[in-house]
Amino acid sequence: MAKEKRFEKTYIQSESLTGGMEIWVDTQTGVNHLYRWSGYSGGMTPLLDRDGKPVVTTVER
């Protein structure tokens, strides 16, 4: 029984081999998250629009 992935990478922007940004979509809620990394550190946060609301992508099932 294969388990469905919770997050799907939809965009990547590499600044170099040691840093960049990615956008991941939660396949259950549709909420977009920004993942930023540099060297050995990184972090993920919900991606917000100009009104401070989460960016949501329609999820097809």
Side-chain angles (χ1 to χ4, degrees), residues 48-55:
L48 305 177
D49 65 14
R50 71 170 115 198
D51 298 321
K53 296 180 182 176
V55 175

Side-chain angles (χ1 to χ4, degrees), residues 1-58:
M1 182 165 125
K3 191 171 185 179
E4 189 175 318
K5 291 183 180 180
R6 174 75 188 250
F7 291 92
E8 181 178 302
K9 185 179 354 178
T10 60
Y11 178 80
I12 185 167
Q13 178 179 325
S14 281
E15 297 169 355
S16 67
L17 293 174
T18 61
M21 292 181 279
E22 298 173 346
I23 295 177
W24 290 77
V25 176
D26 183 327
T27 60
Q28 293 182 9
T29 65
V31 174
N32 287 249
H33 294 80
L34 176 66
Y35 173 64
R36 171 80 168 108
W37 79 91
S38 179
Y40 291 107
S41 63
M44 182 179 265
T45 187
L47 188 60
L48 305 177
D49 65 14
R50 71 170 115 198
D51 298 321
K53 296 180 182 176
V55 175
V56 178
T57 300
T58 303

